[in-house]
């Protein structure tokens, strides 16, 4: 395990996921079901999605290094653009997510866990955090470390959303978090491009 890669992955995924639609979905679900059940369901969905992302990222490492770095740089840059655009229109995104989560039927116990799992599992496909995880595995070629860092960040963010999401949003605006995530992705894109050119 590479502690530096774990820390870098955790920081990148945490900043990108905090303003994401899945944070809002988890927050809304926690108003319908017990927060612990929401966190378990969401955590299981994140675990499966992170395994998929790490496997895809590891498969990418078999491509030529220049191609891997170029693709990673493009994904980071695309992530910066997407987060910047989401920052400008976060009110609409929040309303859409609340409407989506509100469609969940009332459930308790394992039915609540399954409902949360299915909602987040569907929402995470092709999500920026999943693409970023793929890119980080390809960049560092340390799948186990990236898995630990990414899943750790996702579990912390979903825990914050389930337990203290509404309180957190009173102190930090979603658009500011989007812009912070965009800055992190832009920095990763610049560093990856520099590595590509300097190689």
């Amino acid at each position: 395990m590479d502690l530096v890669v774990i820390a870098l992955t955790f920081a990148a995924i945490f900043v990108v996921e905090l303003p994401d639609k899945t944070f809002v979905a988890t927050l809304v679900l926690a108003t319908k079901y017990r927060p612990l059940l929401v966190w378990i369901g969401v955590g299981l969905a994140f675990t499966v999605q992170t395994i998929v992302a790490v496997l895809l990222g590891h498969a990418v490492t078999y491509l030529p290094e220049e191609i891997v770095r170029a693709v990673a740089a493009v994904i980071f840059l695309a992530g910066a653009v997407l987060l910047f655009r989401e920052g400008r229109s976060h009110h609409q995104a929040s309303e859409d997510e609340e409407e989506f989560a509100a469609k969940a039927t009332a459930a308790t116990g394992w039915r609540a866990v399954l409902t949360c799992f299915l909602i987040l599992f569907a929402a995470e496909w092709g999500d920026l955090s999943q693409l970023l995880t793929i890119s980080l595995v390809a960049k560092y070629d340390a799948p186990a470390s990236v898995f630990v860092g990414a899943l750790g960040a996702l579990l912390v963010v979903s825990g914050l959303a389930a337990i203290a999401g509404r309180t957190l949003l009173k102190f930090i605006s979603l658009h500011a978090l989007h812009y912070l995530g965009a800055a992190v992705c832009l920095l990763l894109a610049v560093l990856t491009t520099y590595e590509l050119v300097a190689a």
Side-chain angles (χ1 to χ4, degrees), residues 4-30:
V4 173
V5 172
I6 291 173
L8 288 172
T9 301
F10 182 95
I13 299 294
F14 183 85
V15 169
V16 166
E17 191 66 22
L18 199 55
D20 193 68
K21 65 185 183 299
T22 51
F23 176 87
V24 178
T26 304
L27 189 153
V28 172
L29 287 166

Side-chain angles (χ1 to χ4, degrees), residues 12-198:
I13 299 294
F14 183 85
V15 169
V16 166
E17 191 66 22
L18 199 55
D20 193 68
K21 65 185 183 299
T22 51
F23 176 87
V24 178
T26 304
L27 189 153
V28 172
L29 287 166
T31 65
K32 292 176 65 71
Y33 311 122
R34 287 177 51 207
L36 179 60
L37 298 178
V38 172
W39 188 70
I40 292 170
V42 168
L44 290 172
F46 279 141
T47 301
V48 174
Q49 292 287 18
T50 305
I51 289 170
V52 170
V54 167
L55 291 175
L56 288 173
H58 187 59
V60 168
T61 61
Y62 292 105
L63 296 172
E65 191 173 335
E66 296 79 18
I67 293 174
V68 171
R69 284 184 176 166
V71 170
V74 169
I75 290 175
F76 291 142
L77 187 58
V81 172
L82 287 172
L83 281 169
F84 181 78
R85 287 178 60 195
E86 285 182 26
R88 293 175 62 192
S89 61
H90 69 89
H91 292 297
Q92 180 61 40
S94 297
E95 289 169 10
D96 290 346
E97 204 59 47
E98 286 181 18
E99 181 182 329
F100 175 65
K103 292 178 182 175
T105 56
T108 57
W110 288 109
R111 287 189 62 206
V113 171
L114 181 61
T115 300
C116 296
F117 173 86
L118 292 174
I119 289 173
L120 267 292
F121 185 75
E124 273 296 292
W125 281 108
D127 190 70
L128 183 56
S129 60
Q130 191 179 44
L131 296 175
L132 189 57
T133 301
I134 292 169
S135 299
L136 290 167
V137 171
K139 179 177 173 61
Y140 295 115
D141 195 17
S145 299
V146 171
F147 175 80
V148 170
L151 184 59
L154 292 169
L155 291 176
V156 169
V157 168
S158 60
L160 283 172
I163 296 168
R166 292 198 185 280
T167 304
L168 181 66
L169 291 179
K170 289 179 184 175
F171 299 101
I172 306 170
S173 64
L174 269 181
H175 71 274
L177 292 172
H178 278 102
Y179 292 145
L180 179 60
V184 169
C185 283
L186 187 59
L187 177 63
L188 288 169
V190 169
L191 290 174
T192 306
T193 303
Y194 173 78
E195 290 173 359
L196 180 63
V197 172

